[in-house]
Amino acid sequence: MNRSSESAVRPWPPLRPGDTVRLVSPASFPEDPGAIEALTGILHEWGLRVQVGEHALDRHGYMAGTDKDRLADLNAAYADPVVRALITTRGGAGAYRILDGLDYAAIRADPKPVIGFSDITYLHLAIWQHTRVPGIHGCLVGAHAIDTVHHLLTTTRPHVLARNPRLMSAEVETPGRARGFTMGGSLAALAGMVGTGLPDLSGAIVVIEAQRLVGLGQVDRQLTQLIRAGAFDGIAAIALGRFHGFEDYTDRGWNLIDLLRDLLLPLGKPILGGLEIGHGPDPHAIALGVAAELDTDSGTLTCYPAEGR
C-alpha cells in the first residue's frame, strides 16, 4: 500500500507524572554498565515510571540479543497500553534487521513515540512509512539532549532549533523559507532504506546528520544514492545537523563543506545548516513527522508538535 497520501497521526498526548515508559535496545546494547541506572534516574526525576525490556541488556555479537528477542521487546512495548513511550538505550547496529517483524497494526492502534537516533533512524523511517506515527530523534545523554527530549515528550509547544555558526555544516546554505514535515536523521539509514522501504519524502524538510566512519566518499555515496533514487525530488527543504568527525578532515583538497555544496546546492531547495542534531557531545533532539518551518534568514527550524504533519 502506498501510504504517502495518508494523513499523519497527531503526536502523542504529553506525558504526565505517573506515566510509564519502557527502555528497549532494538540495535546494540549499552556498553556502559550504569546506562540503565542513569536513564532510569533521569526519567524518575520527570516523575515517570520506568520498565526495562526483558532483553535490553542481552548480548548477541554487537547486538542486544537475537533479532527475535529484540523484536519481541519492541512489539511487547507497543502492545502494552500502560507503556506511553519507548526509550532506546543506544543506537549502534541491528535495528534494520527487525523492521519486517514490527507489529505495525499495534503501533497504529496505540501510537506512542520511540526516542533514539543513529541506527534507530531505521525504526523512525519504517514506522513513518507504515503508520505515520511521529517519533523523536534524540537521546538522554547531555543537558541539552535531556532538556529537549523532555520538552518534546511533555509539551505540545513549538520547539525552535537555531543555527550554531560554529558547526561545520553552518557553512552550507541556500537562502529561503519552507514549510513541511520533518523526516530523516542518520544519513546512513536514509541511504540504507533506498529500495527497502524509504518513505515518500515529498513535502518533507529532510533532516540529515552523520558521523565519519571512513572518509568523504561515505557521505558522497550515500547522498548520491538518495539523489539518483529520486528521494529528494519533491522535498521542501534540507536541515543539516552535525557531521561528527569531519571537522578537521580533508581529502585531496576537499572537505565536507565542498562536498555538501557540490551535491546539495544544485537541488535548488532551501538549506539550513549548523543545527545541533546528531552525533557528538550533547545533541539536541528533534521531533520527526511533525509540521515545521525552516527559515534561513532567522537561522531557525521551528517544529510544531501540536499540529502533527
Side-chain angles (χ1 to χ4, degrees):
M1 180 186 298
N2 181 358
R3 305 189 61 86
S4 62
S5 62
E6 295 189 13
S7 298
V9 173
R10 285 193 176 273
W12 51 91
L15 270 62
R16 297 288 182 251
D19 283 346
T20 297
V21 298
R22 188 170 297 177
L23 302 180
V24 292
S25 302
S28 296
F29 51 84
E31 296 182 20
D32 180 356
I36 296 294
E37 183 178 354
L39 290 170
T40 299
I42 292 165
L43 296 165
H44 280 168
E45 288 179 3
W46 298 352
L48 301 175
R49 302 176 187 273
V50 180
Q51 299 175 350
V52 180
E54 180 180 355
H55 303 286
L57 291 175
D58 285 3
R59 298 194 175 199
H60 180 70
Y62 43 78
M63 293 171 288
T66 65
D67 294 349
K68 178 181 177 181
D69 288 340
R70 299 195 319 282
L71 180 61
D73 274 4
L74 281 179
N75 285 338
Y78 279 115
D80 189 339
V82 172
V83 175
R84 301 320 312 150
L86 287 70
I87 313 288
T88 62
T89 64
R90 65 160 296 174
Y96 45 82
R97 296 176 59 155
I98 59 177
L99 302 181
D100 291 341
L102 284 173
D103 188 345
Y104 294 110
I107 297 172
R108 284 192 296 270
D110 184 17
K112 58 191 84 171
V114 58
I115 295 87
F117 78 117
S118 191
D119 201 65
I120 307 305
T121 300
Y122 284 99
L123 287 181
H124 291 309
L125 294 170
I127 290 169
W128 180 255
Q129 166 75 347
H130 290 276
T131 70
R132 292 297 188 261
V133 171
I136 295 176
H137 176 286
C139 64
L140 293 177
V141 179
H144 290 110
I146 293 168
D147 286 348
T148 51
V149 170
H150 182 260
H151 174 100
L152 292 170
L153 274 181
T154 62
T155 80
T156 56
R157 297 193 305 272
H159 176 230
V160 181
L161 285 156
R163 178 201 294 119
N164 179 352
R166 294 184 298 276
L167 287 188
M168 193 174 191
S169 67
E171 297 182 40
V172 183
E173 181 176 303
T174 299
R177 185 173 181 176
R179 189 172 176 91
F181 68 97
T182 51
M183 188 50 53
S186 163
L187 174 59
L190 280 162
M193 289 289 275
V194 170
T196 61
L198 181 70
D200 183 354
L201 298 176
S202 299
I205 296 174
V206 180
V207 179
I208 300 174
E209 55 91 2
Q211 65 173 332
R212 185 170 76 86
L213 300 177
V214 282
L216 289 176
Q218 157 199 339
V219 174
D220 192 349
R221 285 187 291 273
Q222 291 164 352
L223 283 174
T224 299
Q225 182 177 4
L226 288 159
I227 292 167
R228 291 184 64 212
F232 291 165
D233 287 355
I235 64 174
I238 295 174
L240 298 174
R242 294 173 172 173
F243 286 73
H244 186 58
F246 283 100
E247 291 82 2
D248 299 316
Y249 182 84
T250 60
D251 187 345
R252 285 157 282 192
W254 259 22
N255 64 12
L256 175 74
I257 303 308
D258 298 311
L259 175 61
L260 293 179
R261 286 174 174 166
D262 193 57
L263 287 175
L264 298 181
L265 297 191
L267 297 178
K269 304 293 183 180
I271 300 173
L272 175 65
L275 300 178
E276 293 276 9
I277 305 166
H279 295 78
D282 198 9
H284 291 219
I286 183 172
L288 299 175
V290 303
E293 186 170 31
L294 179 146
D295 186 344
T296 61
D297 283 345
S298 63
T300 57
L301 175 62
T302 304
C303 298
Y304 302 95
E307 298 182 23
R309 171 179 171 176

